[in-house]
Amino acid sequence: MRGEIPDRVPISTYEVVGYNSAVFYNKEPSYRSLMDYIREKTDCMCLHYMPTNCFFTQTAVRPDCKVERVQRPDGYETHLTVNLPGRTLHKVDRVINGVHTTWNVEPLCKSIEDVDALLDIPYEPVTYDPSDMPRLREEVGEHGLLVTSPADPACAAMQLMEFGESLVWAMTEPEHFEKTVRIFHERMMQNLERQLNTYTVDMYRICGPEYLTPPYLPPEYFAKYTAPYLKEMVDLIHSHGAYARIHCHGKIGQVLDMMAATGCDAIDPCEAPPDGDIEFADIKRRVGDRIVLMGNIQLKLLEKGSAEEVREYVLRTMDACKPGGRFVIMPTAGPINVPLSPKTEENYRVFIDTALEAGVY
């Protein structure tokens, strides 16, 4: 992270965290063998979220809410009802058996009037519970870094509505969208400072910039609604002695220079075409002399590719990004299927073994 040349290229398995006994991957029996291998061979970036009393609009004030769990033949849904003056909002999240993720199948807001009603809830800075941090710090030890992941304000705003509706909102109601993002930013900066003051981890992965990248929105939206706020977040994180990393899937070619101008220390996952729009070698050429690049092994390659395809891709990635340091080889996501597929486990091992072999400086 300091730009020095290590003994080898660091290997991260991203969300598959080896040194945190509380995470799903270390509790699910079908992942046990792979997790033992990850702990033995790789470098840990332990992603963790401190518990908080934060409500959807970044306030500690919680309105009248009702939460109901509804069983389904294939899993369950969580129904949230929020009762506001003159308006009732409803949100549905779904979990399917055998898949370790949550889908939002009904967003909380269906209109900008719903957003306004939420923003009318009084703002009060949130608090964070650091009680689990000593355990995490002890488990991670010298094996890697503690990481948490705040969102940027445009992400927090857009997640209130269905993604397509959020894009329409941003393009057809720009003044309202700008006002909402600005309110979120003011609140999130206060809350981020409170989080940093409560317990500062090693790295802050800022997620959400991908919401305002092509092809969803043109680069000028990123310049107006994302880049300036990222810069302020990065500066605040740096003032507490921590690293700032920007997490942005998809097509970053037209916004890469704006990301670099924030002063961030790292970006991920640096997806190559066809998922992204720029080859890793070109990212390295443009910003790799001052920013750590993390990526770009697609999870779908590990889940569906052959062992030889995985090995060849890792070797090509090393050739492109190993020279000069400032590179962490890493998948773009973590598997969510239960039980873990034997093919996925085999390919993870091939990825790790090839990276160890080819990553030595």
Side-chain angles (χ1 to χ4, degrees), residues 53-63 65 82 108 118 121 126:
N53 60 348
C54 185
F55 191 64
F56 290 98
T57 49
Q58 299 295 308
T59 179
V61 177
R62 189 174 183 87
C65 295
V82 181
L108 188 62
L118 274 180
I121 299 170
V126 306

Side-chain angles (χ1 to χ4, degrees), residues 13-201:
T13 44
Y14 193 25
E15 297 165 317
V16 188
V17 176
Y19 288 94
N20 182 354
S21 58
V23 298
F24 152 75
Y25 293 108
N26 287 316
K27 293 181 175 181
E28 166 56 38
S30 66
Y31 282 77
R32 184 172 298 134
S33 175
L34 176 60
M35 298 310 296
D36 288 341
Y37 203 72
I38 285 170
R39 275 187 291 274
E40 178 187 357
K41 303 288 187 178
T42 74
D43 311 291
C44 179
M45 283 192 282
C46 178
L47 184 61
H48 175 75
Y49 299 86
M50 274 194 291
T52 177
N53 60 348
C54 185
F55 191 64
F56 290 98
T57 49
Q58 299 295 308
T59 179
V61 177
R62 189 174 183 87
D64 177 31
C65 295
K66 178 185 177 183
V67 179
E68 181 183 9
R69 178 164 166 155
V70 179
Q71 288 297 135
R72 293 168 47 91
D74 59 349
Y76 67 91
E77 291 180 345
T78 302
H79 291 234
L80 170 68
T81 302
V82 181
N83 297 307
L84 302 171
R87 188 176 297 266
T88 298
L89 307 182
H90 195 232
K91 179 177 184 284
V92 179
D93 293 326
R94 181 175 296 165
V95 173
I96 295 176
N97 295 333
V99 184
H100 186 73
T101 195
T102 301
W103 283 279
N104 175 231
V105 296
E106 181 182 337
L108 188 62
C109 296
K110 283 77 174 177
S111 67
I112 62 174
E113 289 77 21
D114 289 346
V115 174
D116 287 336
L118 274 180
L119 290 174
D120 283 340
I121 299 170
Y123 169 67
E124 188 176 294
V126 306
T127 58
Y128 296 88
D129 178 7
S131 59
D132 199 34
M133 300 311 295
R135 176 193 66 83
L136 276 170
R137 181 65 74 182
E138 182 177 358
E139 288 191 13
V140 173
E142 295 298 315
H143 299 289
L145 305 178
L146 287 184
V147 184
T148 196
S149 188
D152 78 333
C155 169
M158 293 185 77
Q159 285 186 336
L160 295 176
M161 285 199 278
E162 186 272 331
F163 183 50
E165 293 295 330
S166 292
L167 297 176
V168 173
W169 171 31
M171 298 195 76
T172 62
E173 301 283 350
E175 291 183 0
H176 186 276
F177 183 72
E178 181 177 12
K179 180 196 75 172
T180 304
V181 172
R182 188 170 59 250
I183 290 171
F184 268 98
H185 178 62
E186 292 170 354
R187 296 179 177 187
M188 294 171 81
M189 286 295 287
Q190 291 185 51
N191 292 334
L192 177 58
E193 183 154 30
R194 290 171 70 90
Q195 183 180 5
L196 286 157
N197 287 334
T198 299
Y199 192 100
T200 302
V201 298

Side-chain angles (χ1 to χ4, degrees), residues 8-13 41-44 328-329 351-352 355-356:
R8 62 165 172 80
V9 171
I11 305 167
S12 168
T13 44
K41 303 288 187 178
T42 74
D43 311 291
C44 179
V328 177
I329 195 165
F351 151 60
I352 292 167
L356 288 170

Side-chain angles (χ1 to χ4, degrees), residues 81-358:
T81 302
V82 181
N83 297 307
L84 302 171
R87 188 176 297 266
T88 298
L89 307 182
H90 195 232
K91 179 177 184 284
V92 179
D93 293 326
R94 181 175 296 165
V95 173
I96 295 176
N97 295 333
V99 184
H100 186 73
T101 195
T102 301
W103 283 279
N104 175 231
V105 296
E106 181 182 337
L108 188 62
C109 296
K110 283 77 174 177
S111 67
I112 62 174
E113 289 77 21
D114 289 346
V115 174
D116 287 336
L118 274 180
L119 290 174
D120 283 340
I121 299 170
Y123 169 67
E124 188 176 294
V126 306
T127 58
Y128 296 88
D129 178 7
S131 59
D132 199 34
M133 300 311 295
R135 176 193 66 83
L136 276 170
R137 181 65 74 182
E138 182 177 358
E139 288 191 13
V140 173
E142 295 298 315
H143 299 289
L145 305 178
L146 287 184
V147 184
T148 196
S149 188
D152 78 333
C155 169
M158 293 185 77
Q159 285 186 336
L160 295 176
M161 285 199 278
E162 186 272 331
F163 183 50
E165 293 295 330
S166 292
L167 297 176
V168 173
W169 171 31
M171 298 195 76
T172 62
E173 301 283 350
E175 291 183 0
H176 186 276
F177 183 72
E178 181 177 12
K179 180 196 75 172
T180 304
V181 172
R182 188 170 59 250
I183 290 171
F184 268 98
H185 178 62
E186 292 170 354
R187 296 179 177 187
M188 294 171 81
M189 286 295 287
Q190 291 185 51
N191 292 334
L192 177 58
E193 183 154 30
R194 290 171 70 90
Q195 183 180 5
L196 286 157
N197 287 334
T198 299
Y199 192 100
T200 302
V201 298
D202 303 307
M203 178 186 292
Y204 289 76
R205 184 196 72 159
I206 305 171
C207 64
E210 61 209 45
Y211 279 71
L212 272 72
T213 57
Y216 309 121
L217 291 168
E220 52 264 33
Y221 274 71
F222 193 95
K224 185 172 184 178
Y225 301 119
T226 300
Y229 301 127
L230 287 175
K231 176 70 166 64
E232 291 187 34
M233 295 178 74
V234 168
D235 288 346
L236 179 59
I237 291 165
H238 284 167
S239 73
H240 285 259
Y243 295 112
R245 164 180 155 201
I246 294 178
H247 171 74
C248 188
H249 282 278
K251 302 182 187 302
I252 65 171
Q254 296 181 69
V255 301
L256 179 60
D257 293 334
M258 287 185 269
M259 291 168 61
T262 65
C264 66
D265 302 288
I267 58 174
D268 81 277
C270 304
E271 293 177 296
D275 304 279
D277 63 347
I278 182 170
E279 294 290 349
F280 215 153
D282 294 327
I283 303 176
K284 181 80 170 184
R285 175 181 52 80
R286 286 171 58 180
V287 302
D289 61 333
R290 59 192 188 279
I291 295 176
V292 175
L293 307 182
M294 299 182 179
N296 67 340
I297 310 301
Q298 285 289 349
L299 176 63
K300 64 186 176 185
L301 174 65
L302 297 175
E303 290 183 327
K304 300 180 181 301
S306 68
E308 188 55 34
E309 287 172 330
V310 172
R311 176 175 170 80
E312 289 178 359
Y313 195 87
V314 170
L315 291 174
R316 290 201 306 270
T317 302
M318 282 291 186
D319 286 343
C321 292
K322 173 185 169 183
R326 295 188 185 273
F327 172 50
V328 177
I329 195 165
M330 181 179 78
T332 57
I336 57 176
N337 53 300
V338 179
L340 175 64
S341 158
K343 182 182 186 68
T344 302
E345 177 170 357
E346 176 193 8
N347 282 341
Y348 261 88
R349 289 173 179 261
V350 172
F351 151 60
I352 292 167
D353 290 345
T354 307
L356 288 170
E357 171 194 331

